Amino acid sequence: MELLKYRTHYAMQIKPEMQGERVIVAGWVHTKRDLGGKKFIVLRDKSGSIQLIISKHESEKSVIDAFYDISKESVIMVEGIVKKSDKAPRGVEIFPLKITLLNKASPILPLDVSEKVPADMDTRLNARILDLRRPRVQAIFKIRDNVLKIIRTVLREKGFIEVNTPKIIATATEGGAQLFPVLYFGREAFLAQSPQLYKELLASAFERVFEIGPAYRAEESDTPFHLSEFISVDIEAAFIDYEGAMDILEEVVVRVLDGVRRENIEELELIGHEPPKISGKIPRITYDEAIEILQREGFDIKYGEDISTPAQRKLGEIIEGFYFIKDWPTDTRPFYTMPKEDNPNLCEAFDLMYGWLEVASGSTRVHRKGLLIAQLERQGLSPKSFEYFIKWFDYGMPPHAGWGLGLDRFMLILTGCRNIREVVLFPRDKKRLTP
Ligand code: AMO
């Protein structure tokens, strides 16, 4: 019943076998073509599109008038007869008996939805709502929807529950420089850079939690890989260490790649991309090994420092596909990261890389209060301002580990898009706050 007011069928449900059936479809005018004796409208709806054929001699006058009246992107409802036709796309079209104009679009559009007129990224993002009507752009977001579904399925299978933590918070977690301040009833607060501290506390209550939510970073860098608001897939689990956390991440990545390949065949075809395959396990190299490789290549890189973007690019040329870099220098990682027992200069942390792009990072966390305070002080942070976090370490904090995966960066790999803004509905960066 739900369908009957405006339509009996979606565009893609119209099949040649339905020859002669009376149907009602509704959607947007994708394209309009006037060949004189014959006129064509391609009607687009959420399922795809269907051609309407109007004949100068056989169609009702009201239908011909409607053809001239409607502009591209107008919303119409069409009642008509299904016609089998070898010339029509998918071998079928509709001969309209009645066209109802539900809402007329302005004849000058800020973006051509049918993609006949090319547009650069800024134009596309300025007219994002029209851009999101493009079938190829929709394919990206259908894949994204499936990715979210698969991630949730895998993590629930593994005993995680989905949680939502506050995004207005009192202190930084990933270093102070990139924080967005918020005026909070006269006090200073910040937008959360990560659910880090909350997910750790929750691991002491639920053992296994995950969150898929926004993370905010005042990113100065204007790159195709940074946003000031991105979606972070976060997990935290009690009674595992970083190797266990990598195992879970590996399974999530493998299952997503597999699921998208199997379930998004049409979308992948539309965007012309094949996601990578993983054969076997994802290699886990150490920071030491990464530095050795780079030095062997003649790269001027100091042991103990973070790996710079140019060095990362070099590494990505040498090691293709997905790989982990683990056992980072303790000084390069946040205070909550567990140092290695046999060498506290290194810590139980990892990054998941794809070529030179960092997709996720994680670690074993410090679960003893004394060490946590020492690490805060070592990084010049005040334990007092983390009191709301630290105090719970007195009441039974289990050993735990976790990771955060940048969903939007992961989407780049899955779709082959080159700019992170393409895989986000309404991207936020230093220059863009609307739409
Ligand atoms: P990290 O700071 O490495 O770790 O962030 C995790 C992942 O988030 C993605 N990411 C971004 N994506 C788009 N735009 C950005 N500005 C941006 N910044 C980061 C990356 C990165 O790998 N709390 C830890 C995770 C943990 O240890 O559990 C954290 O936030 O893909």
PDB file of all heavy atoms in Angstrom, residues 174 193-194 196 199 217 219 225-228 230 232 234-236 336 351 358-363 365 402-409 420, ligand 1:
ATOM      1  N   GLU A 174      44.586  13.106  21.746  1.00  0.00           N
ATOM      2  CA  GLU A 174      45.599  12.764  20.741  1.00  0.00           C
ATOM      3  C   GLU A 174      46.571  13.925  20.543  1.00  0.00           C
ATOM      4  O   GLU A 174      47.049  14.158  19.454  1.00  0.00           O
ATOM      5  CB  GLU A 174      44.930  12.406  19.413  1.00  0.00           C
ATOM      6  CG  GLU A 174      43.762  11.454  19.510  1.00  0.00           C
ATOM      7  CD  GLU A 174      44.158  10.076  20.007  1.00  0.00           C
ATOM      8  OE1 GLU A 174      45.221   9.582  19.611  1.00  0.00           O
ATOM      9  OE2 GLU A 174      43.407   9.515  20.822  1.00  0.00           O
ATOM     10  N   GLN A 193      38.487  14.486  19.611  1.00  0.00           N
ATOM     11  CA  GLN A 193      39.386  14.070  18.517  1.00  0.00           C
ATOM     12  C   GLN A 193      39.259  12.583  18.274  1.00  0.00           C
ATOM     13  O   GLN A 193      39.684  12.061  17.249  1.00  0.00           O
ATOM     14  CB  GLN A 193      40.844  14.305  18.925  1.00  0.00           C
ATOM     15  CG  GLN A 193      41.250  15.743  19.054  1.00  0.00           C
ATOM     16  CD  GLN A 193      42.592  15.810  19.750  1.00  0.00           C
ATOM     17  OE1 GLN A 193      42.757  15.243  20.828  1.00  0.00           O
ATOM     18  NE2 GLN A 193      43.530  16.495  19.144  1.00  0.00           N
ATOM     19  N   SER A 194      38.765  11.888  19.302  1.00  0.00           N
ATOM     20  CA  SER A 194      38.676  10.424  19.273  1.00  0.00           C
ATOM     21  C   SER A 194      37.908  10.004  20.524  1.00  0.00           C
ATOM     22  O   SER A 194      37.930  10.723  21.526  1.00  0.00           O
ATOM     23  CB  SER A 194      40.108   9.869  19.285  1.00  0.00           C
ATOM     24  OG  SER A 194      40.203   8.703  20.070  1.00  0.00           O
ATOM     25  N   GLN A 196      38.774   7.856  22.443  1.00  0.00           N
ATOM     26  CA  GLN A 196      39.805   7.067  23.121  1.00  0.00           C
ATOM     27  C   GLN A 196      39.549   6.794  24.608  1.00  0.00           C
ATOM     28  O   GLN A 196      39.443   5.652  25.033  1.00  0.00           O
ATOM     29  CB  GLN A 196      41.166   7.758  22.957  1.00  0.00           C
ATOM     30  CG  GLN A 196      42.330   6.971  23.528  1.00  0.00           C
ATOM     31  CD  GLN A 196      42.509   5.639  22.829  1.00  0.00           C
ATOM     32  OE1 GLN A 196      42.298   5.530  21.626  1.00  0.00           O
ATOM     33  NE2 GLN A 196      42.887   4.604  23.569  1.00  0.00           N
ATOM     34  N   LYS A 199      36.243   4.982  25.417  1.00  0.00           N
ATOM     35  CA  LYS A 199      36.159   3.564  25.026  1.00  0.00           C
ATOM     36  C   LYS A 199      37.009   2.718  25.970  1.00  0.00           C
ATOM     37  O   LYS A 199      36.634   1.586  26.306  1.00  0.00           O
ATOM     38  CB  LYS A 199      36.489   3.347  23.545  1.00  0.00           C
ATOM     39  CG  LYS A 199      37.915   3.617  23.106  1.00  0.00           C
ATOM     40  CD  LYS A 199      38.106   3.280  21.613  1.00  0.00           C
ATOM     41  CE  LYS A 199      39.518   3.568  21.161  1.00  0.00           C
ATOM     42  NZ  LYS A 199      39.840   3.060  19.826  1.00  0.00           N
ATOM     43  N   ARG A 217      39.159  17.134  14.110  1.00  0.00           N
ATOM     44  CA  ARG A 217      40.544  17.594  14.208  1.00  0.00           C
ATOM     45  C   ARG A 217      40.706  18.882  13.415  1.00  0.00           C
ATOM     46  O   ARG A 217      40.330  18.933  12.235  1.00  0.00           O
ATOM     47  CB  ARG A 217      41.498  16.540  13.646  1.00  0.00           C
ATOM     48  CG  ARG A 217      41.225  15.180  14.303  1.00  0.00           C
ATOM     49  CD  ARG A 217      42.428  14.404  14.616  1.00  0.00           C
ATOM     50  NE  ARG A 217      42.015  13.181  15.303  1.00  0.00           N
ATOM     51  CZ  ARG A 217      42.689  12.060  15.315  1.00  0.00           C
ATOM     52  NH1 ARG A 217      43.848  11.993  14.682  1.00  0.00           N
ATOM     53  NH2 ARG A 217      42.241  11.014  15.973  1.00  0.00           N
ATOM     54  N   GLU A 219      42.490  20.305  11.389  1.00  0.00           N
ATOM     55  CA  GLU A 219      43.570  19.999  10.456  1.00  0.00           C
ATOM     56  C   GLU A 219      43.931  21.226   9.635  1.00  0.00           C
ATOM     57  O   GLU A 219      43.116  21.730   8.875  1.00  0.00           O
ATOM     58  CB  GLU A 219      43.147  18.886   9.495  1.00  0.00           C
ATOM     59  CG  GLU A 219      43.098  17.503  10.099  1.00  0.00           C
ATOM     60  CD  GLU A 219      44.481  16.920  10.351  1.00  0.00           C
ATOM     61  OE1 GLU A 219      45.485  17.541   9.936  1.00  0.00           O
ATOM     62  OE2 GLU A 219      44.538  15.857  10.980  1.00  0.00           O
ATOM     63  N   PHE A 225      43.518  13.741   1.885  1.00  0.00           N
ATOM     64  CA  PHE A 225      43.352  12.652   2.857  1.00  0.00           C
ATOM     65  C   PHE A 225      42.978  13.131   4.257  1.00  0.00           C
ATOM     66  O   PHE A 225      42.871  12.331   5.176  1.00  0.00           O
ATOM     67  CB  PHE A 225      44.634  11.819   2.933  1.00  0.00           C
ATOM     68  CG  PHE A 225      45.149  11.464   1.581  1.00  0.00           C
ATOM     69  CD1 PHE A 225      46.206  12.153   1.015  1.00  0.00           C
ATOM     70  CD2 PHE A 225      44.520  10.481   0.846  1.00  0.00           C
ATOM     71  CE1 PHE A 225      46.641  11.860  -0.266  1.00  0.00           C
ATOM     72  CE2 PHE A 225      44.941  10.178  -0.435  1.00  0.00           C
ATOM     73  CZ  PHE A 225      46.015  10.864  -0.992  1.00  0.00           C
ATOM     74  N   HIS A 226      42.834  14.452   4.416  1.00  0.00           N
ATOM     75  CA  HIS A 226      42.516  14.993   5.740  1.00  0.00           C
ATOM     76  C   HIS A 226      41.201  15.768   5.732  1.00  0.00           C
ATOM     77  O   HIS A 226      40.964  16.578   4.849  1.00  0.00           O
ATOM     78  CB  HIS A 226      43.629  15.945   6.213  1.00  0.00           C
ATOM     79  CG  HIS A 226      44.891  15.243   6.567  1.00  0.00           C
ATOM     80  ND1 HIS A 226      45.864  14.986   5.640  1.00  0.00           N
ATOM     81  CD2 HIS A 226      45.323  14.737   7.742  1.00  0.00           C
ATOM     82  CE1 HIS A 226      46.862  14.337   6.240  1.00  0.00           C
ATOM     83  NE2 HIS A 226      46.560  14.174   7.516  1.00  0.00           N
ATOM     84  N   LEU A 227      40.407  15.536   6.753  1.00  0.00           N
ATOM     85  CA  LEU A 227      39.180  16.300   6.951  1.00  0.00           C
ATOM     86  C   LEU A 227      39.199  16.829   8.375  1.00  0.00           C
ATOM     87  O   LEU A 227      39.904  16.281   9.230  1.00  0.00           O
ATOM     88  CB  LEU A 227      37.958  15.392   6.774  1.00  0.00           C
ATOM     89  CG  LEU A 227      37.669  14.890   5.364  1.00  0.00           C
ATOM     90  CD1 LEU A 227      36.565  13.854   5.397  1.00  0.00           C
ATOM     91  CD2 LEU A 227      37.285  16.047   4.450  1.00  0.00           C
ATOM     92  N   SER A 228      38.402  17.839   8.655  1.00  0.00           N
ATOM     93  CA  SER A 228      38.334  18.276  10.048  1.00  0.00           C
ATOM     94  C   SER A 228      37.241  17.522  10.802  1.00  0.00           C
ATOM     95  O   SER A 228      37.213  17.529  12.025  1.00  0.00           O
ATOM     96  CB  SER A 228      38.181  19.781  10.168  1.00  0.00           C
ATOM     97  OG  SER A 228      37.352  20.278   9.175  1.00  0.00           O
ATOM     98  N   PHE A 230      35.820  13.554  10.540  1.00  0.00           N
ATOM     99  CA  PHE A 230      35.832  12.281   9.826  1.00  0.00           C
ATOM    100  C   PHE A 230      35.139  11.223  10.681  1.00  0.00           C
ATOM    101  O   PHE A 230      34.896  11.447  11.864  1.00  0.00           O
ATOM    102  CB  PHE A 230      37.260  11.843   9.445  1.00  0.00           C
ATOM    103  CG  PHE A 230      38.164  11.539  10.624  1.00  0.00           C
ATOM    104  CD1 PHE A 230      38.305  10.239  11.098  1.00  0.00           C
ATOM    105  CD2 PHE A 230      38.875  12.550  11.249  1.00  0.00           C
ATOM    106  CE1 PHE A 230      39.149   9.951  12.171  1.00  0.00           C
ATOM    107  CE2 PHE A 230      39.717  12.271  12.327  1.00  0.00           C
ATOM    108  CZ  PHE A 230      39.859  10.973  12.786  1.00  0.00           C
ATOM    109  N   SER A 232      35.261   7.794  12.508  1.00  0.00           N
ATOM    110  CA  SER A 232      36.236   6.872  13.067  1.00  0.00           C
ATOM    111  C   SER A 232      35.516   5.609  13.539  1.00  0.00           C
ATOM    112  O   SER A 232      34.504   5.689  14.221  1.00  0.00           O
ATOM    113  CB  SER A 232      36.921   7.575  14.252  1.00  0.00           C
ATOM    114  OG  SER A 232      37.924   6.769  14.776  1.00  0.00           O
ATOM    115  N   ASP A 234      35.963   2.750  15.933  1.00  0.00           N
ATOM    116  CA  ASP A 234      36.825   2.500  17.089  1.00  0.00           C
ATOM    117  C   ASP A 234      36.422   1.222  17.791  1.00  0.00           C
ATOM    118  O   ASP A 234      35.233   0.946  17.947  1.00  0.00           O
ATOM    119  CB  ASP A 234      36.684   3.653  18.091  1.00  0.00           C
ATOM    120  CG  ASP A 234      37.600   4.807  17.737  1.00  0.00           C
ATOM    121  OD1 ASP A 234      38.762   4.789  18.186  1.00  0.00           O
ATOM    122  OD2 ASP A 234      37.153   5.697  16.999  1.00  0.00           O
ATOM    123  N   ILE A 235      37.415   0.462  18.226  1.00  0.00           N
ATOM    124  CA  ILE A 235      37.097  -0.679  19.095  1.00  0.00           C
ATOM    125  C   ILE A 235      37.978  -0.611  20.336  1.00  0.00           C
ATOM    126  O   ILE A 235      39.063  -0.004  20.321  1.00  0.00           O
ATOM    127  CB  ILE A 235      37.306  -2.065  18.434  1.00  0.00           C
ATOM    128  CG1 ILE A 235      38.805  -2.407  18.297  1.00  0.00           C
ATOM    129  CG2 ILE A 235      36.620  -2.180  17.097  1.00  0.00           C
ATOM    130  CD1 ILE A 235      39.091  -3.878  18.524  1.00  0.00           C
ATOM    131  N   GLU A 236      37.509  -1.214  21.402  1.00  0.00           N
ATOM    132  CA  GLU A 236      38.334  -1.411  22.581  1.00  0.00           C
ATOM    133  C   GLU A 236      37.927  -2.744  23.199  1.00  0.00           C
ATOM    134  O   GLU A 236      36.731  -3.040  23.284  1.00  0.00           O
ATOM    135  CB  GLU A 236      38.119  -0.257  23.576  1.00  0.00           C
ATOM    136  CG  GLU A 236      39.237  -0.079  24.565  1.00  0.00           C
ATOM    137  CD  GLU A 236      40.581   0.327  23.933  1.00  0.00           C
ATOM    138  OE1 GLU A 236      40.607   0.989  22.880  1.00  0.00           O
ATOM    139  OE2 GLU A 236      41.629  -0.047  24.500  1.00  0.00           O
ATOM    140  N   TYR A 336      48.670   7.034  26.423  1.00  0.00           N
ATOM    141  CA  TYR A 336      47.946   5.829  26.881  1.00  0.00           C
ATOM    142  C   TYR A 336      48.520   4.532  26.299  1.00  0.00           C
ATOM    143  O   TYR A 336      48.001   3.454  26.528  1.00  0.00           O
ATOM    144  CB  TYR A 336      46.444   5.956  26.554  1.00  0.00           C
ATOM    145  CG  TYR A 336      46.161   6.309  25.103  1.00  0.00           C
ATOM    146  CD1 TYR A 336      46.277   5.357  24.089  1.00  0.00           C
ATOM    147  CD2 TYR A 336      45.780   7.603  24.737  1.00  0.00           C
ATOM    148  CE1 TYR A 336      46.030   5.684  22.772  1.00  0.00           C
ATOM    149  CE2 TYR A 336      45.535   7.942  23.412  1.00  0.00           C
ATOM    150  CZ  TYR A 336      45.654   6.973  22.436  1.00  0.00           C
ATOM    151  OH  TYR A 336      45.423   7.289  21.130  1.00  0.00           O
ATOM    152  N   ASP A 351      50.318   0.759  13.217  1.00  0.00           N
ATOM    153  CA  ASP A 351      49.521   1.452  12.199  1.00  0.00           C
ATOM    154  C   ASP A 351      49.179   0.436  11.137  1.00  0.00           C
ATOM    155  O   ASP A 351      50.015  -0.417  10.817  1.00  0.00           O
ATOM    156  CB  ASP A 351      50.338   2.575  11.530  1.00  0.00           C
ATOM    157  CG  ASP A 351      50.444   3.817  12.404  1.00  0.00           C
ATOM    158  OD1 ASP A 351      49.715   3.905  13.413  1.00  0.00           O
ATOM    159  OD2 ASP A 351      51.266   4.698  12.066  1.00  0.00           O
ATOM    160  N   GLU A 358      48.016   5.845   5.819  1.00  0.00           N
ATOM    161  CA  GLU A 358      47.666   5.250   7.112  1.00  0.00           C
ATOM    162  C   GLU A 358      46.144   5.156   7.206  1.00  0.00           C
ATOM    163  O   GLU A 358      45.441   6.134   7.053  1.00  0.00           O
ATOM    164  CB  GLU A 358      48.204   6.147   8.241  1.00  0.00           C
ATOM    165  CG  GLU A 358      47.895   5.607   9.614  1.00  0.00           C
ATOM    166  CD  GLU A 358      48.012   6.676  10.703  1.00  0.00           C
ATOM    167  OE1 GLU A 358      49.014   7.419  10.722  1.00  0.00           O
ATOM    168  OE2 GLU A 358      47.083   6.752  11.523  1.00  0.00           O
ATOM    169  N   VAL A 359      45.666   3.949   7.456  1.00  0.00           N
ATOM    170  CA  VAL A 359      44.222   3.730   7.503  1.00  0.00           C
ATOM    171  C   VAL A 359      43.716   3.575   8.934  1.00  0.00           C
ATOM    172  O   VAL A 359      42.582   3.894   9.249  1.00  0.00           O
ATOM    173  CB  VAL A 359      43.815   2.452   6.722  1.00  0.00           C
ATOM    174  CG1 VAL A 359      42.399   2.585   6.221  1.00  0.00           C
ATOM    175  CG2 VAL A 359      44.753   2.127   5.603  1.00  0.00           C
ATOM    176  N   ALA A 360      44.567   3.014   9.803  1.00  0.00           N
ATOM    177  CA  ALA A 360      44.140   2.785  11.185  1.00  0.00           C
ATOM    178  C   ALA A 360      45.359   2.809  12.088  1.00  0.00           C
ATOM    179  O   ALA A 360      46.493   2.633  11.629  1.00  0.00           O
ATOM    180  CB  ALA A 360      43.446   1.428  11.307  1.00  0.00           C
ATOM    181  N   SER A 361      45.106   3.053  13.374  1.00  0.00           N
ATOM    182  CA  SER A 361      46.193   2.856  14.317  1.00  0.00           C
ATOM    183  C   SER A 361      45.619   2.353  15.628  1.00  0.00           C
ATOM    184  O   SER A 361      44.434   2.532  15.916  1.00  0.00           O
ATOM    185  CB  SER A 361      47.024   4.118  14.493  1.00  0.00           C
ATOM    186  OG  SER A 361      46.246   5.124  15.062  1.00  0.00           O
ATOM    187  N   GLY A 362      46.481   1.680  16.393  1.00  0.00           N
ATOM    188  CA  GLY A 362      45.998   1.086  17.640  1.00  0.00           C
ATOM    189  C   GLY A 362      47.147   0.672  18.524  1.00  0.00           C
ATOM    190  O   GLY A 362      48.324   0.871  18.182  1.00  0.00           O
ATOM    191  N   SER A 363      46.807   0.089  19.667  1.00  0.00           N
ATOM    192  CA  SER A 363      47.861  -0.287  20.610  1.00  0.00           C
ATOM    193  C   SER A 363      47.303  -1.089  21.781  1.00  0.00           C
ATOM    194  O   SER A 363      46.089  -1.144  21.995  1.00  0.00           O
ATOM    195  CB  SER A 363      48.536   0.968  21.183  1.00  0.00           C
ATOM    196  OG  SER A 363      47.603   1.784  21.849  1.00  0.00           O
ATOM    197  N   ARG A 365      47.017  -0.740  25.679  1.00  0.00           N
ATOM    198  CA  ARG A 365      46.967   0.477  26.488  1.00  0.00           C
ATOM    199  C   ARG A 365      47.590   0.221  27.858  1.00  0.00           C
ATOM    200  O   ARG A 365      47.610  -0.919  28.346  1.00  0.00           O
ATOM    201  CB  ARG A 365      45.525   0.941  26.709  1.00  0.00           C
ATOM    202  CG  ARG A 365      44.581   0.695  25.562  1.00  0.00           C
ATOM    203  CD  ARG A 365      44.957   1.448  24.311  1.00  0.00           C
ATOM    204  NE  ARG A 365      43.832   1.401  23.347  1.00  0.00           N
ATOM    205  CZ  ARG A 365      43.860   1.896  22.148  1.00  0.00           C
ATOM    206  NH1 ARG A 365      44.977   2.427  21.665  1.00  0.00           N
ATOM    207  NH2 ARG A 365      42.802   1.848  21.360  1.00  0.00           N
ATOM    208  N   GLY A 402      43.078  -1.752  21.617  1.00  0.00           N
ATOM    209  CA  GLY A 402      42.053  -1.367  20.636  1.00  0.00           C
ATOM    210  C   GLY A 402      42.658  -0.636  19.461  1.00  0.00           C
ATOM    211  O   GLY A 402      43.884  -0.502  19.359  1.00  0.00           O
ATOM    212  N   TRP A 403      41.775  -0.171  18.587  1.00  0.00           N
ATOM    213  CA  TRP A 403      42.235   0.593  17.425  1.00  0.00           C
ATOM    214  C   TRP A 403      41.160   1.563  16.940  1.00  0.00           C
ATOM    215  O   TRP A 403      39.989   1.450  17.312  1.00  0.00           O
ATOM    216  CB  TRP A 403      42.674  -0.299  16.265  1.00  0.00           C
ATOM    217  CG  TRP A 403      41.808  -1.481  15.921  1.00  0.00           C
ATOM    218  CD1 TRP A 403      42.089  -2.793  16.237  1.00  0.00           C
ATOM    219  CD2 TRP A 403      40.562  -1.513  15.185  1.00  0.00           C
ATOM    220  NE1 TRP A 403      41.097  -3.609  15.747  1.00  0.00           N
ATOM    221  CE2 TRP A 403      40.156  -2.857  15.091  1.00  0.00           C
ATOM    222  CE3 TRP A 403      39.756  -0.540  14.589  1.00  0.00           C
ATOM    223  CZ2 TRP A 403      38.977  -3.263  14.439  1.00  0.00           C
ATOM    224  CZ3 TRP A 403      38.575  -0.926  13.942  1.00  0.00           C
ATOM    225  CH2 TRP A 403      38.198  -2.268  13.872  1.00  0.00           C
ATOM    226  N   GLY A 404      41.606   2.484  16.104  1.00  0.00           N
ATOM    227  CA  GLY A 404      40.694   3.415  15.430  1.00  0.00           C
ATOM    228  C   GLY A 404      40.998   3.364  13.940  1.00  0.00           C
ATOM    229  O   GLY A 404      42.147   3.479  13.532  1.00  0.00           O
ATOM    230  N   LEU A 405      39.933   3.134  13.162  1.00  0.00           N
ATOM    231  CA  LEU A 405      40.078   3.033  11.705  1.00  0.00           C
ATOM    232  C   LEU A 405      39.395   4.244  11.073  1.00  0.00           C
ATOM    233  O   LEU A 405      38.235   4.534  11.381  1.00  0.00           O
ATOM    234  CB  LEU A 405      39.404   1.738  11.226  1.00  0.00           C
ATOM    235  CG  LEU A 405      39.129   1.571   9.736  1.00  0.00           C
ATOM    236  CD1 LEU A 405      40.352   1.005   9.031  1.00  0.00           C
ATOM    237  CD2 LEU A 405      37.935   0.654   9.496  1.00  0.00           C
ATOM    238  N   GLY A 406      40.102   4.948  10.199  1.00  0.00           N
ATOM    239  CA  GLY A 406      39.505   6.080   9.489  1.00  0.00           C
ATOM    240  C   GLY A 406      38.617   5.563   8.368  1.00  0.00           C
ATOM    241  O   GLY A 406      39.109   5.139   7.333  1.00  0.00           O
ATOM    242  N   LEU A 407      37.299   5.605   8.606  1.00  0.00           N
ATOM    243  CA  LEU A 407      36.368   5.010   7.634  1.00  0.00           C
ATOM    244  C   LEU A 407      36.497   5.663   6.259  1.00  0.00           C
ATOM    245  O   LEU A 407      36.461   4.980   5.230  1.00  0.00           O
ATOM    246  CB  LEU A 407      34.917   5.148   8.135  1.00  0.00           C
ATOM    247  CG  LEU A 407      33.871   4.572   7.189  1.00  0.00           C
ATOM    248  CD1 LEU A 407      33.917   3.051   7.165  1.00  0.00           C
ATOM    249  CD2 LEU A 407      32.473   5.047   7.550  1.00  0.00           C
ATOM    250  N   ASP A 408      36.673   6.980   6.257  1.00  0.00           N
ATOM    251  CA  ASP A 408      36.697   7.689   4.975  1.00  0.00           C
ATOM    252  C   ASP A 408      37.944   7.331   4.169  1.00  0.00           C
ATOM    253  O   ASP A 408      37.902   7.192   2.958  1.00  0.00           O
ATOM    254  CB  ASP A 408      36.592   9.200   5.232  1.00  0.00           C
ATOM    255  CG  ASP A 408      35.521   9.483   6.278  1.00  0.00           C
ATOM    256  OD1 ASP A 408      34.382   9.085   6.051  1.00  0.00           O
ATOM    257  OD2 ASP A 408      35.852  10.047   7.345  1.00  0.00           O
ATOM    258  N   ARG A 409      39.064   7.160   4.877  1.00  0.00           N
ATOM    259  CA  ARG A 409      40.292   6.727   4.171  1.00  0.00           C
ATOM    260  C   ARG A 409      40.129   5.289   3.658  1.00  0.00           C
ATOM    261  O   ARG A 409      40.572   4.966   2.559  1.00  0.00           O
ATOM    262  CB  ARG A 409      41.487   6.804   5.115  1.00  0.00           C
ATOM    263  CG  ARG A 409      41.893   8.236   5.379  1.00  0.00           C
ATOM    264  CD  ARG A 409      43.267   8.284   5.980  1.00  0.00           C
ATOM    265  NE  ARG A 409      43.609   9.653   6.339  1.00  0.00           N
ATOM    266  CZ  ARG A 409      44.668   9.975   7.036  1.00  0.00           C
ATOM    267  NH1 ARG A 409      45.501   9.033   7.459  1.00  0.00           N
ATOM    268  NH2 ARG A 409      44.924  11.235   7.303  1.00  0.00           N
ATOM    269  N   ILE A 420      39.345  12.303  -0.430  1.00  0.00           N
ATOM    270  CA  ILE A 420      38.501  11.868   0.684  1.00  0.00           C
ATOM    271  C   ILE A 420      37.139  12.588   0.675  1.00  0.00           C
ATOM    272  O   ILE A 420      36.139  12.053   1.155  1.00  0.00           O
ATOM    273  CB  ILE A 420      39.266  12.080   2.017  1.00  0.00           C
ATOM    274  CG1 ILE A 420      38.638  11.262   3.157  1.00  0.00           C
ATOM    275  CG2 ILE A 420      39.388  13.554   2.383  1.00  0.00           C
ATOM    276  CD1 ILE A 420      39.563  11.060   4.342  1.00  0.00           C
TER     277      ILE A 420
HETATM  278  P1  AMO B   1      44.772   8.244  14.996  1.00  0.00           P
HETATM  279  O1  AMO B   1      44.977   9.651  15.442  1.00  0.00           O
HETATM  280  O2  AMO B   1      45.890   7.588  14.282  1.00  0.00           O
HETATM  281  O3  AMO B   1      44.448   7.305  16.248  1.00  0.00           O
HETATM  282  O4  AMO B   1      43.462   8.186  14.103  1.00  0.00           O
HETATM  283  C1  AMO B   1      42.943   6.950  13.657  1.00  0.00           C
HETATM  284  C2  AMO B   1      42.693   6.952  12.171  1.00  0.00           C
HETATM  285  O5  AMO B   1      41.806   7.991  11.829  1.00  0.00           O
HETATM  286  C3  AMO B   1      42.101   8.472  10.522  1.00  0.00           C
HETATM  287  N1  AMO B   1      42.310   9.926  10.572  1.00  0.00           N
HETATM  288  C4  AMO B   1      41.781  10.812   9.706  1.00  0.00           C
HETATM  289  N2  AMO B   1      40.987  10.664   8.650  1.00  0.00           N
HETATM  290  C5  AMO B   1      40.608  11.767   7.977  1.00  0.00           C
HETATM  291  N3  AMO B   1      40.970  13.023   8.308  1.00  0.00           N
HETATM  292  C6  AMO B   1      41.785  13.234   9.370  1.00  0.00           C
HETATM  293  N4  AMO B   1      42.104  14.469   9.711  1.00  0.00           N
HETATM  294  C7  AMO B   1      42.229  12.100  10.131  1.00  0.00           C
HETATM  295  N5  AMO B   1      43.006  11.932  11.217  1.00  0.00           N
HETATM  296  C8  AMO B   1      43.039  10.618  11.473  1.00  0.00           C
HETATM  297  C9  AMO B   1      43.318   7.753  10.044  1.00  0.00           C
HETATM  298  C10 AMO B   1      43.931   7.234  11.326  1.00  0.00           C
HETATM  299  O6  AMO B   1      44.668   6.072  11.118  1.00  0.00           O
HETATM  300  N6  AMO B   1      42.789   6.987  19.449  1.00  0.00           N
HETATM  301  C11 AMO B   1      43.604   6.508  18.344  1.00  0.00           C
HETATM  302  C12 AMO B   1      43.146   5.157  17.844  1.00  0.00           C
HETATM  303  C13 AMO B   1      43.392   4.052  18.850  1.00  0.00           C
HETATM  304  O7  AMO B   1      44.564   3.885  19.259  1.00  0.00           O
HETATM  305  O8  AMO B   1      42.443   3.325  19.181  1.00  0.00           O
HETATM  306  C14 AMO B   1      43.556   7.549  17.223  1.00  0.00           C
HETATM  307  O9  AMO B   1      42.728   8.428  17.181  1.00  0.00           O
HETATM  308  O10 AMO B   1      42.889   6.693   9.206  1.00  0.00           O
END
